[in-house]
Amino acid sequence: GSWTLSFANSRKLGQREFVTVALIGVAFGAIDAVFNGKIYDWDLLNYRFYSVHAWLQGRVTDHIAPGQIQTWLNPALYVPHYLLIQHAPPNVAAAILGALVGLNIALVYALARAVIRVRNPVWRVTMTMLCVGVGVSDPSYRGELGSMASDSLISHAVLGSLLVLSRNLAGLADGRARGRAFLFAGLLLGIGTGLKLTGIIYAAGMSASLLLVWLVFRFPGRWLAIFSLGGILGFVLTGGYWSWFLWREYGNPTFPYWNAVFQSPWIE
């Protein structure tokens, strides 16, 4: 049988529909990235490329803040970009990076299908595509296609987490499956935050939202704990090593941020 997702409007997003939208998103991202041309921005020249190089070469502590305050951001997020730039022709690298970002289109489409409760299929698809159109027309999103920018990559984790929660709050019969979904949603959000600390704004916002939603849906309180546990596990998976490295070298797992708490003597 075909794999399906159940949504709030009692409609099903079939595997073929989802895969079709994903392929459209990948193609759009790859083509648009190539037409954008090479992106030679400040962050690329400042730290994104160098930080991965220094990390892979074991030279993070050799120089003093070559990338300014961004020197100590987790470089793991930029490893795929670094390897593609080093080993692939520019257009190929841009196309692959653009294709990855293009997957956001499928996630936005699925999320819109999860929350739009219109019975008429024509209107439902039209409204869903309008949501997708608004998303992909954003200048920041378009400008990051094919670049080393990371916001449109951790968005996979954020949108995926929101999609899982929306799907399950719509109502699944199997309570055990819903508990696992909360764990998976937290895991995704933790993965995104571990890769890029600014993801914490989504973790905080979604946690607060779940507390408010709990007043309406009255799902078991342990699911909130499971969600939090998933977030911690996700963060450890992608950001645990880097936090430990910063703690070992500088006495602050988020160095140089939050140093008023950790009081690293290296801050000067």
Side-chain angles (χ1 to χ4, degrees):
S2 62
W3 174 79
T4 59
L5 290 173
S6 299
F7 290 115
N9 55 16
S10 300
R11 305 290 179 175
K12 292 183 178 180
L13 177 64
Q15 181 181 19
R16 183 177 300 178
E17 180 183 355
F18 182 80
V19 170
T20 300
V21 175
L23 290 176
I24 293 173
V26 166
F28 170 82
I31 294 170
D32 206 21
V34 172
F35 275 98
N36 272 343
K38 298 178 186 177
I39 297 177
Y40 220 47
D41 60 16
W42 166 253
D43 288 329
L44 168 62
L45 298 174
N46 182 39
Y47 75 96
R48 285 173 179 161
F49 190 84
Y50 170 80
S51 293
V52 179
H53 170 77
W55 184 41
L56 295 180
Q57 298 297 321
R59 303 183 62 186
V60 174
T61 59
D62 284 7
H63 305 116
I64 299 176
Q68 302 181 67
I69 198 171
Q70 290 90 353
T71 297
W72 297 280
L73 296 178
N74 188 353
L77 181 57
Y78 303 105
V79 170
H81 307 75
Y82 175 87
L83 295 177
L84 282 169
I85 290 174
Q86 286 285 74
H87 302 292
N91 282 341
V92 173
I96 294 175
L97 294 173
L100 290 175
V101 173
L103 287 173
N104 283 289
I105 291 177
L107 293 173
V108 172
Y109 182 90
L111 183 58
R113 288 275 272 107
V115 298
I116 294 175
R117 302 190 182 194
V118 179
R119 292 186 179 276
N120 186 295
V122 176
W123 276 107
R124 187 169 63 249
V125 172
T126 300
M127 294 174 68
T128 300
M129 293 308 298
L130 284 173
C131 292
V132 174
V134 170
V136 302
S137 62
D138 176 69
S140 297
Y141 174 80
R142 296 284 303 280
E144 290 187 355
L145 287 171
S147 73
M148 286 190 78
S150 56
D151 302 291
S152 296
L153 287 180
I154 68 164
S155 57
H156 294 147
V158 177
L159 289 171
S161 178
L162 190 57
L163 175 61
V164 171
L165 289 175
S166 298
R167 174 200 173 208
N168 284 274
L169 289 176
L172 287 177
D174 188 348
R176 185 177 300 176
R178 297 184 73 179
R180 289 197 300 266
F182 272 71
L183 177 66
F184 185 56
L187 184 71
L188 286 174
L189 207 54
I191 286 173
T193 305
L195 289 172
K196 189 167 185 176
L197 289 178
T198 50
I200 198 170
I201 63 174
Y202 303 108
M206 205 172 296
S207 298
S209 298
L210 279 177
L211 287 174
L212 294 175
V213 168
W214 175 79
L215 298 175
V216 178
F217 286 88
R218 293 294 182 179
F219 49 79
R222 67 179 181 275
W223 290 354
L224 294 175
I226 291 173
F227 174 79
S228 300
L229 176 62
I232 294 171
L233 291 176
F235 183 89
V236 170
L237 283 174
T238 56
Y241 166 78
W242 190 249
S243 294
W244 172 81
F245 170 80
L246 294 176
W247 177 264
R248 184 190 69 189
E249 296 293 335
Y250 305 104
N252 178 350
T254 58
F255 187 81
Y257 306 100
W258 298 340
N259 204 61
V261 176
F262 294 103
Q263 297 291 310
S264 169
W266 289 92
I267 195 66
E268 298 298 335

